[in-house]
Amino acid sequence: MSKGLAGDISMLRGEPPLEYLAKANRLEAQGRDMVRFEIGQPDFDTPENVKEAAKGSLDEGFTHYVPTLGIPDLIEAIQDDIEKSRGFRPDKEQIMVLPGAKPGIFFGLMTTVEMGEEVIYQNPFYFQYDSLIGYMGAKKVQIPLYEKDDFRMTPEQVQEKMSGDTRLILLNSPQNPTGGVLKKKDIEAIAEMAEENDAYILSDEIYSKMLYDGEKHYSPSYLDECKERTIIVDGFSKAYSMTGWRLGYMVAPEEIIHKTHNLFADVGSCTTSFVQKGGVEALRNGQHFVDHIMEHFTKRRTAIVQGLNEVPGMSCIYPKGAFYVFPNIKETGMKSEELANYMIDEAGVCLLPGTSFGSQGEGFLRISYASSLEDIEEGIRRMKTAMEKVL
Ligand SMILES: Cc1ncc(COP(=O)(O)O)c(C=O)c1O
């Protein structure tokens, strides 16, 4: 890799939406009642059986270094889960357990892309992508997502952007921030282009278990079984409500796992031992929990979409996965940031401007419905009142 002492730190964005969070916190500290729609984490507690598994392993003294790649029983549980969900069984040597999906994205980019090479990704995007691609000195090649396409990127768009310098295509389905889900035929067409151009595919599948209306998760990974060019990144934060545990993994060609292993051995040694025991329990006995929270998310999704469509100046399509909506606010005549600030100040509703997720987010807001139905109803009521004042 030719990145000098470090990448360009000035390109790192951190978490830009933090400014809205900080503002809402400040107002709350001053006694203001705020409805919080900005946070991208499920509001459910981690399942009890997962906590018990981690506690039990602590009591048994499972508190020392473990293999850098991950503990064998978690690697086996991941093999089983991938086989069930993606239709192929990766070799153990293709799996690396990491502290969250984020490190998987970092290491996936770090081990494949050289400075100056092109990375294709969607705009609006999950902000970590844009930050890291800039940091690594890779060239940002963005594909705009449109509401009329249900925020799905199309193979035609990818084809248009492919060049001899394309090193990696970043997929994220279901997508943060729009809830868009890629279609099987589109994924296959994109994977074919990646093969023709000898590019990698990094597929961030952190929301793969969070789909609605019988929608299915399709991963490009089954095409090459992660042996040649596909890297899956997935984790436990969202589906099992384990954001603070920091647990995720990547499935990738052995050579990439080997490089990641060496990097992570120097950076972190291993992912926390007893946290991994919790992960085994989540994958082995956690489906009932996923079903339970998806039942709640389905009701919340209906409430928020119907409610937003009644707010003057706003319209909203149903997301197909994850737990975000991306309402269109163009009819309000306000810019996204202006409206997000107005909602915090006037309505006591904290949400994010679409532009926190890229230029293509102008004219939209991002709302996370990882909140109770009561909060959703109250938030909608407040937004309606606030918009009636100005429209
Ligand atoms: C698309 C996407 N990828 C990755 C992550 C990070 O996941 P983790 O908490 O496992 O690092 C998030 C979290 O919001 C996300 O939305």
Side-chain angles (χ1 to χ4, degrees):
M1 277 178 274
S2 53
K3 298 185 185 66
L5 200 53
D8 185 352
I9 302 276
S10 71
M11 296 297 286
L12 288 173
R13 292 161 51 105
E15 304 226 354
L18 278 183
E19 66 195 74
Y20 294 89
L21 208 119
K23 187 173 179 184
N25 287 346
R26 205 169 50 243
L27 288 170
E28 260 181 357
Q30 291 165 7
R32 186 83 192 276
D33 178 47
M34 299 291 301
V35 176
R36 310 294 295 251
F37 284 151
E38 82 283 15
I39 301 168
Q41 67 175 342
D43 53 325
F44 301 92
D45 197 6
T46 300
E48 212 47 49
N49 58 326
V50 172
K51 288 200 234 170
E52 287 307 321
K55 281 191 232 167
S57 76
L58 274 175
D59 292 340
E60 284 164 15
F62 194 64
T63 55
H64 300 102
Y65 288 131
V66 288
T68 303
L69 287 175
I71 61 172
D73 39 351
L74 182 54
I75 289 186
E76 200 177 319
I78 293 169
Q79 284 180 297
D80 290 346
D81 193 66
I82 294 287
E83 187 169 5
K84 209 162 51 183
S85 56
R86 275 72 161 192
F88 74 100
R89 187 171 185 82
D91 299 333
K92 290 187 167 62
E93 295 72 22
Q94 289 180 267
I95 297 171
M96 167 113 204
V97 176
L98 289 163
K102 271 186 160 184
I105 296 159
F106 175 77
F107 288 123
L109 289 168
M110 198 71 184
T111 54
T112 53
V113 181
E114 294 277 339
M115 204 183 266
E117 288 180 330
E118 295 177 358
V119 178
I120 294 180
Y121 61 114
Q122 304 160 84
N123 178 347
F125 43 71
Y126 176 51
F127 39 77
Q128 188 204 4
Y129 308 155
D130 191 66
S131 178
L132 288 179
I133 293 164
Y135 166 72
M136 288 171 188
K139 198 163 159 217
K140 301 177 176 186
V141 180
Q142 299 180 351
I143 292 189
L145 299 184
Y146 299 105
E147 190 183 29
K148 68 173 171 53
D149 299 328
D150 288 338
F151 299 113
R152 270 186 296 109
M153 76 173 171
T154 64
E156 293 73 30
Q157 286 178 300
V158 178
Q159 182 72 65
E160 216 173 275
K161 300 282 185 180
M162 290 292 276
S163 83
D165 288 334
T166 306
R167 172 54 43 199
L168 185 137
I169 303 169
L170 221 171
L171 303 182
N172 176 212
S173 175
Q175 206 231 8
N176 180 5
T178 65
V181 168
L182 289 170
K183 284 187 186 302
K184 183 170 189 241
K185 67 172 176 39
D186 292 350
I187 289 177
E188 284 173 349
I190 292 166
E192 204 172 298
M193 280 176 235
E195 192 180 343
E196 276 164 16
N197 288 267
D198 201 18
Y200 288 100
I201 295 181
L202 177 58
S203 185
D204 179 352
E205 302 180 10
I206 187 82
Y207 297 104
S208 59
K209 295 188 193 306
M210 311 191 89
L211 290 152
Y212 304 97
D213 298 339
E215 194 79 33
K216 275 211 168 86
H217 174 64
Y218 292 108
S219 166
S221 57
Y222 80 95
L223 293 164
D224 73 338
E225 304 195 344
C226 294
K227 293 243 188 310
E228 299 284 327
R229 65 188 70 261
T230 312
I231 304 165
I232 304 176
V233 174
D234 202 341
F236 298 74
S237 290
K238 313 290 176 173
Y240 303 102
S241 218
M242 291 171 69
T243 45
W245 290 62
R246 309 311 302 135
L247 187 61
Y249 61 86
M250 63 199 283
V251 183
E254 259 187 66
E255 178 206 8
I256 288 170
I257 295 295
H258 179 69
K259 287 184 189 170
T260 302
H261 169 276
N262 289 351
L263 274 168
F264 189 56
D266 282 352
V267 171
S269 290
C270 63
T271 300
T272 308
S273 55
F274 50 90
V275 161
Q276 295 193 50
K277 289 288 188 186
V280 175
E281 180 64 17
L283 287 183
R284 295 273 182 231
N285 298 305
Q287 190 54 44
H288 64 286
F289 176 80
V290 181
D291 294 342
H292 166 74
I293 66 170
M294 286 315 290
E295 242 175 67
H296 283 278
F297 278 129
T298 302
K299 287 185 192 144
R300 294 166 175 189
R301 168 180 174 258
T302 307
I304 196 106
V305 172
Q306 287 180 352
L308 285 167
N309 281 317
E310 285 167 18
V311 176
M314 293 193 192
S315 64
C316 185
I317 62 170
Y318 279 89
K320 297 193 181 309
F323 44 79
Y324 309 106
V325 280
F326 211 62
N328 185 325
I329 54 146
K330 291 178 183 164
E331 276 188 18
T332 65
M334 290 164 102
K335 294 278 188 202
S336 297
E337 289 191 9
E338 186 191 355
L339 187 52
N341 278 307
Y342 177 69
M343 284 301 174
I344 293 185
D345 297 331
E346 175 64 29
V349 174
C350 185
L351 37 70
L352 298 176
T355 43
S356 287
F357 304 87
S359 54
Q360 200 65 20
E362 187 57 87
F364 296 88
L365 298 172
R366 192 202 73 168
I367 294 178
S368 160
Y369 51 93
S371 311
S372 66
L373 269 179
E374 294 73 42
D375 273 3
I376 290 171
E377 278 157 19
E378 175 62 16
I380 293 287
R381 198 189 56 71
R382 292 184 188 190
M383 284 198 270
K384 257 192 209 160
T385 311
M387 289 319 294
E388 276 158 6
K389 281 192 188 157
V390 288
L391 287 185

